[in-house]
Amino acid sequence: MALLSDLINLNLSDSTKKIIAEYIWIGGSGMDLRSKARTLPGPVSDPSKLPKWNYDGSSTGQAPGQDSEVILYPQAIFKDPFRRGNNILVICDTYTPAGEPIPTNKRHNAEKIFSNPAVVAEEPWYGIEQEYTLLQKDVKWPLGWPTGGYPGPQGPYYCGIGADKAWGRDIVDAHYKACLYAGINISGINGEVMPGQWEFQVGPSVGISAGDELWAARYILERITEIAGVVVSFDPKPIQGDWNGAGAHTNYSTKSMRNEGGFEVIKKAIGKLGLRHKEHIAAYGEGNERRLTGRHETADINTFLWGVANRGASIRVGRDTEKEGKGYFEDRRPASNMDPYVVTSMIAETTLLWKP
């Protein structure tokens, strides 16, 4: 008699050319990922060859009940680390039956910005540092923390090892390998300052692919924590008090910044970002005011400042960039629950297209 695990791990290619495609989209809150699967007649590697699909938008807070159909447009394909074989994960965006992007579809506008010839010519690279907190499922309290209590103060946990410092490493490593398997350009992981909090980095990725890859990585993380019976939180300040918040620091460079004389280009770009500070803060994630307090490696939400190697700044420039006179900078303002389509395209728009 086959066990459940045997059936889950069946290799479909032994008996059929058909594959399973898991269509993934962002729900009505802007952070809730949804997905459903369909059978396709054979392997597919080009999103444009995939059929569009639909779902009940009234059940995701994205359409009224009397006109509930929302259409899924496939945009990016990743290998499925759960079903493996030729099965795929498909990142989709969302439209009305008439072909208009629905309000929660932030990818559509981002793609317009990244398709602008002035942006394409500059080849914007992104590296996103996604922080998150693992919570115990039934009490919604950080993994490893005593129920209703607190561990020792921050200090030993950042990049820490040991059963009294690092909780959830099996989940973190499973996610790391699953993302590599899927074809996501995940570049690293580490334990964070607050115990139970971790980070993974995606990039360098060019243009719209940064958003596609980060959303796919978030989806895989949610699926792995589902299996592990743990809840993942992207709240920017999950625990009040003397504990670090969770951000999504966004590293950015253009071709001009990476070439000789790039540091001057970087400084001009940072100047533009400073002039649009309020607009960026408004788009950088809900609840960010609880995180950007001027403490715990942040700049105050109402203050814009930049510096070299300054982790208390809005924008940090690395020592290597200053020394070499070219490179990249880090926007430290985005919250962990930011939409990468919004943040990456807004940085490109402000630095490359906006005229002060």
Side-chain angles (χ1 to χ4, degrees):
M1 177 67 72
L3 299 173
L4 187 60
S5 59
D6 296 329
L7 298 173
I8 289 171
N9 292 315
L10 278 175
N11 186 350
L12 296 181
S13 60
D14 290 342
S15 59
T16 180
K17 292 180 180 178
K18 294 178 180 179
I19 68 157
I20 301 170
E22 190 79 26
Y23 279 45
I24 301 162
W25 71 97
I26 301 158
S29 75
M31 271 303 290
D32 57 317
L33 283 160
R34 311 283 180 129
S35 75
K36 60 178 183 171
R38 67 183 296 167
T39 306
L40 299 176
V44 182
S45 58
D46 181 351
S48 68
K49 305 295 186 192
L50 288 167
K52 294 174 184 174
W53 205 6
N54 65 73
Y55 67 92
D56 170 18
S58 70
S59 296
T60 62
Q62 292 170 296
Q66 66 271 22
D67 187 14
S68 64
E69 194 166 285
V70 179
I71 312 301
L72 293 168
Y73 286 34
Q75 299 292 359
I77 291 174
F78 298 93
K79 292 174 66 178
D80 186 339
F82 303 102
R83 296 186 177 107
R84 288 167 287 189
N86 291 319
N87 304 300
I88 54 175
L89 304 177
V90 184
I91 296 294
C92 303
D93 60 354
T94 44
Y95 296 81
T96 67
E100 294 295 320
I102 66 171
T104 52
N105 179 354
K106 307 303 183 186
R107 191 186 190 280
H108 179 78
N109 185 63
E111 189 157 40
K112 285 200 292 186
I113 291 169
F114 285 122
S115 298
N116 186 296
V119 177
V120 172
E122 282 289 345
E123 293 180 16
W125 291 3
Y126 297 92
I128 302 173
E129 306 170 27
Q130 176 69 73
E131 295 178 337
Y132 61 93
T133 308
L134 297 174
L135 304 177
Q136 301 167 54
K137 181 167 69 75
D138 295 326
V139 293
K140 299 294 175 68
W141 198 239
L143 200 64
W145 290 34
T147 303
Y150 297 86
Q154 295 183 156
Y157 309 110
Y158 172 69
C159 297
I161 60 169
D164 57 343
K165 303 179 193 72
W167 300 302
R169 192 184 298 276
D170 53 347
I171 292 169
V172 175
D173 267 355
H175 176 248
Y176 195 177
K177 289 185 175 181
C179 284
L180 286 170
Y181 177 93
I184 293 166
N185 193 21
I186 187 169
S187 47
I189 54 104
N190 61 268
E192 267 305 329
V193 177
M194 188 184 87
Q197 188 183 86
W198 295 82
E199 173 184 301
F200 65 89
Q201 303 93 33
V202 168
S205 304
V206 181
I208 196 72
S209 65
D212 290 338
E213 292 188 16
L214 190 73
W215 276 116
R218 284 174 172 177
Y219 174 83
I220 291 170
L221 180 58
E222 293 245 30
R223 285 283 306 274
I224 289 171
T225 54
E226 173 191 320
I227 293 166
V230 171
V231 174
V232 59
S233 170
F234 295 104
D235 190 288
K237 186 72 173 179
I239 304 295
Q240 295 304 304
D242 196 16
W243 304 99
N244 274 37
H249 300 158
T250 301
N251 299 276
Y252 171 69
S253 71
T254 63
K255 186 185 287 187
S256 297
M257 294 175 191
R258 297 187 292 270
N259 289 340
E260 294 303 320
F263 194 24
E264 291 305 311
V265 180
I266 286 172
K267 286 192 278 191
K268 288 177 183 175
I270 292 172
K272 283 184 165 185
L273 289 168
L275 293 174
R276 295 191 74 198
H277 177 63
K278 287 185 178 178
E279 293 96 320
H280 278 256
I281 287 294
Y284 274 16
E286 289 189 22
N288 213 7
E289 72 283 351
R290 294 182 281 116
R291 167 180 162 261
L292 297 180
T293 61
R295 299 182 64 224
H296 303 111
E297 301 180 58
T298 70
D300 180 82
I301 196 167
N302 297 310
T303 303
F304 182 87
L305 59 96
W306 74 277
V308 176
N310 183 358
R311 282 182 160 75
S314 314
I315 305 287
R316 180 184 68 87
V317 175
R319 289 281 181 211
D320 286 347
T321 295
E322 180 190 43
K323 182 179 177 182
E324 295 175 15
K326 60 184 178 180
Y328 71 97
F329 65 83
E330 174 192 45
D331 191 338
R332 297 178 60 80
R333 297 171 295 172
S336 51
N337 60 359
M338 63 81 154
D339 187 323
Y341 294 133
V342 173
V343 169
T344 57
S345 62
M346 194 173 192
I347 292 172
E349 180 183 39
T350 295
T351 58
L352 296 174
L353 302 178
W354 183 67
K355 306 296 183 187

